[in-house]
Amino acid sequence: MATQPRNKLEGYDFYRTALKSARYVVAPMVDMSELAWRILSRGYGAELCYTPMFHSGHFAQSETYRRENFQTCPEDRPLIVQFCGNDPQTVLKAARYVQDKCDAVDINLGCPQGIAKRGHYGAFLQDDWHIISGIVSLLHKELSVPVTCKIRIFDDVSRTIEYAKMLERSGCQLLTVHGRTREMKGPNTGIADWDQIRAVRQVIRIPMFANGNILYFEDIERCLEHTGVDGIMTAETNLNNPALFTNRDTFVWEVVDKYLEIAVRLGTSFINVKGHVFKLYNITFQVSYRILPG
């Protein structure tokens, strides 16, 4: 089996060259960070985008799954493709299909949903360090692009730190830390712990992104200053306000019009389009409802 070239960019060389020192990052979002949305977000200041999370088993085995779910174009860079999975060889096989179409491959170690628990991936792998290390080290060795990881924290900050150090030793070249535990979801989401993110930043040497608590543009600089990370990643706020990174007000119908134009041009699926349009207008109607006189 051929191994990756030894001159592959790593660490901050990778971050500065391939990712162009990106600070404003759009998160991987299932069914939501598809190509049309990534192009829209880039037009509003996003400097790096992730694909949705792809199931490595389906991606490795099914040409139809790959064709229907993965789409990119020259203007969609820098780009990181994210996979979930618990078998090193399967994740590697999936990643090889995209390594010449992206700037890095990311391992999802943060999904807290029930489907991830049933499939034993995402945040439900975080206690199986031997499996995680096997995946990361194999991809680091065999791929032509760097491997990165996105994690959630533990309740115990010392365990989070050791987790991050293990990933770095295994070959992770950029780490995104979501400052919530895997139990913090839905009605129990709560506030992300920037102190834990800062503690990790102080002990690892690879580039880092912070995820969590970014609601307004002002939160970006607050997070960067508090944690010392290189960039911030946003998910839910990006879906509600893709113009977040511009620090200016936009009319929701202008955003929707731009998105629809891109979506039609790229042949985006109706499911994706419906989800985004509903999300954008739903939040608008909620706000309008609150300010109307009773």
Side-chain angles (χ1 to χ4, degrees):
M1 183 180 291
T3 59
Q4 55 94 359
R6 288 293 93 199
N7 61 352
K8 181 173 70 174
L9 294 174
E10 298 181 354
Y12 276 97
D13 288 337
F14 154 64
Y15 175 66
R16 295 179 181 121
T17 303
L19 302 188
K20 306 184 187 305
S21 300
R23 296 189 346 142
Y24 300 158
V25 184
V26 173
M29 296 175 284
V30 174
D31 293 334
M32 301 301 273
S33 59
E34 87 287 350
L35 177 59
W37 190 258
R38 298 195 301 268
I39 296 300
L40 177 78
S41 297
R42 293 179 192 280
Y44 283 117
E47 298 169 340
L48 168 64
C49 294
Y50 285 60
T51 67
M53 177 191 75
F54 300 131
H55 189 287
S56 60
H58 299 330
F59 205 95
Q61 298 299 325
S62 172
E63 191 276 332
T64 300
Y65 180 89
R66 295 192 295 271
R67 183 181 67 250
E68 292 179 350
N69 289 278
F70 177 65
Q71 186 182 16
T72 188
C73 64
E75 60 190 300
D76 186 32
R77 301 296 281 270
L79 176 69
I80 295 181
V81 179
Q82 188 186 72
F83 291 102
C84 68
N86 57 29
D87 178 72
Q89 290 295 337
T90 301
V91 179
L92 175 62
K93 182 177 179 181
R96 281 182 163 150
Y97 281 108
V98 301
Q99 65 180 343
D100 61 343
K101 302 177 179 67
C102 65
D103 298 285
V105 168
D106 188 74
I107 306 304
N108 182 315
L109 299 171
C111 180
Q113 303 304 321
I115 190 171
K117 184 176 184 179
R118 293 190 296 274
H120 195 53
Y121 60 78
F124 297 94
L125 268 184
Q126 68 180 36
D127 296 313
D128 296 312
W129 291 12
H130 65 290
I131 295 177
I132 295 172
S133 180
I135 295 171
V136 175
S137 61
L138 182 65
L139 268 60
H140 174 58
K141 178 183 178 183
E142 299 293 342
L143 291 182
S144 61
V145 294
V147 58
T148 69
C149 298
K150 184 173 186 289
I151 67 171
R152 285 187 173 234
I153 61 173
F154 291 89
D155 289 319
D156 181 356
V157 64
S158 64
R159 187 155 173 79
T160 304
I161 288 171
E162 290 306 312
Y163 186 33
K165 290 166 68 176
M166 177 275 291
L167 291 169
E168 183 177 34
R169 288 194 304 271
S170 299
C172 175
Q173 300 303 314
L174 181 148
L175 181 65
T176 299
V177 180
H178 186 166
R180 295 183 175 94
T181 67
R182 68 186 178 195
E183 292 76 27
M184 297 173 69
K185 59 184 178 181
N188 300 316
T189 295
I191 303 299
D193 189 344
W194 286 357
D195 289 339
Q196 278 224 36
I197 298 175
R198 179 175 59 192
V200 173
R201 170 70 286 176
Q202 290 171 347
V203 298
I204 67 171
R205 295 168 294 176
I206 56 176
M208 265 186 67
F209 295 149
N211 182 209
N213 297 354
I214 303 299
L215 300 178
Y216 305 100
F217 185 81
E218 293 76 16
D219 296 328
I220 297 173
E221 288 302 324
R222 287 179 51 244
C223 182
L224 291 170
E225 181 177 352
H226 186 95
T227 62
V229 298
D230 301 284
I232 65 94
M233 175 184 285
T234 178
E236 193 68 21
T237 301
N238 167 260
L239 296 178
N240 292 325
N241 177 21
L244 169 73
F245 296 135
T246 66
N247 192 25
R248 59 181 175 83
D249 294 330
T250 55
F251 292 115
V252 67
W253 52 88
E254 293 180 352
V255 175
V256 171
D257 283 350
K258 286 184 179 181
Y259 172 69
L260 290 176
E261 185 277 323
I262 297 168
V264 169
R265 172 165 55 88
L266 295 175
T268 305
S269 76
F270 176 73
I271 292 175
N272 291 128
V273 173
K274 182 178 72 170
H276 283 300
V277 173
F278 177 83
K279 189 88 171 176
L280 289 165
Y281 276 126
N282 185 51
I283 192 70
T284 302
F285 294 150
Q286 288 178 3
V287 171
S288 298
Y289 176 83
R290 293 190 186 104
I291 64 175
L292 285 173

